[in-house]
Amino acid sequence: MRRTALPAVVLALGALLVACDGETAVSFADARALADGAASATDGKAAKFATDVTAGTMRSKSQGQTRVARTGTALAMTTDFLGEPLELRLVDKIVFAKVPESAREDVPGGKPWVKVSPDGADPFSQVAGGSIDQLAKQNDPARALDQVRRAGTLTESGHAELDGVSTEHYRLDIDMAALGGDLPAGLSAEAVGELNGKLGKIPMEVWLDDAHQPVQVVLDLAPVLAASGVPDSAMAKIVTRYSEWGTQADIQAPPPEEIGEIPAG
């Protein structure tokens, strides 16, 4: 009797442990699998997003829509760039900025849109091109996932509630050296180089819904400030929230007749 009961108890306990493991296990065991899984889940889909950037006492907010595709993300957003509202579009890897009405006399024909490039020769690009380019691209979930794939190391994973919704929560370290020139948060390779190797890795957190779609991405830039000599108490984070995956988003470049070109100064 004891010989038959013991195996049954062992099997029952084994089944219970498997069930418990199934309830607590996450979907991805390493950074590459996480990036590939989330990229597959979002390919061809659109979502709304809201981004909150904090650096010490400075704070900036953005909101808009993004349509993710392996061939390139499209994005339309508004942001409070330097304290003033600014409308941006990212289409076919080109960033367009809507020129404030007060500055349109600088654009031939008073056209409302201009192309912005970090290496552009026009005065607008030279003054703010790098910052605006990063403002647009830092909201691209595909770019964040690519950085996870190329430079991420998974340090912790589990389940967490976010606004009452069950999510998978992943913590990672992003190796700045492995990113080459594609650095996050507006950092340039020159700026990182000036830190003389003090900046190695920066923390990132990713929350996924039950369809493996990102619902929140947090990039902690406090190590950047610390490496730059800013007091440890200073906080610097980029928090991007994604919602309504599967929404319709018709994001197009501005009409050609509305795009002006500021003469190189």
Side-chain angles (χ1 to χ4, degrees), residues 163-184:
D163 294 337
V165 177
S166 178
T167 66
E168 292 185 0
H169 181 202
Y170 297 87
R171 296 180 186 270
L172 307 108
D173 283 336
I174 305 298
D175 184 352
M176 300 297 285
L179 289 177
D182 184 23
L183 299 172

Side-chain angles (χ1 to χ4, degrees), residues 83-243:
E84 293 191 8
L86 178 66
E87 186 176 346
L88 302 174
R89 294 184 195 175
L90 172 64
V91 181
D92 293 332
K93 301 180 181 179
I94 300 173
V95 177
F96 301 90
K98 195 167 189 178
V99 182
E101 291 188 12
S102 59
R104 288 184 190 171
E105 65 270 13
D106 297 328
V107 184
K111 295 184 178 181
W113 291 90
V114 293
K115 295 181 182 179
V116 181
S117 171
D119 55 0
D122 63 280
F124 192 31
S125 290
Q126 288 185 338
V127 172
S131 298
I132 291 175
D133 186 74
Q134 286 289 343
L135 270 172
K137 293 179 180 178
Q138 74 185 14
N139 297 293
D140 177 3
R143 185 187 186 210
L145 292 172
D146 185 56
Q147 292 171 340
V148 168
R149 180 184 299 106
R150 292 189 290 118
T153 300
L154 185 62
T155 60
E156 186 180 343
S157 60
H159 291 264
E161 280 201 2
L162 189 65
D163 294 337
V165 177
S166 178
T167 66
E168 292 185 0
H169 181 202
Y170 297 87
R171 296 180 186 270
L172 307 108
D173 283 336
I174 305 298
D175 184 352
M176 300 297 285
L179 289 177
D182 184 23
L183 299 172
L187 297 172
S188 66
E190 292 77 10
V192 173
E194 289 174 1
L195 296 176
N196 296 320
K198 296 178 182 178
L199 182 61
K201 298 179 179 180
I202 57 176
M204 177 186 283
E205 296 178 71
V206 178
W207 287 256
L208 303 181
D209 63 15
D210 57 5
H212 301 156
Q213 301 163 147
V215 290
Q216 181 168 269
V217 177
V218 175
L219 190 64
D220 186 354
L221 299 179
V224 179
L225 297 186
S228 303
V230 178
D232 293 340
S233 58
M235 183 180 71
K237 283 188 176 182
I238 300 177
V239 181
T240 305
R241 304 288 296 268
Y242 297 95
S243 62

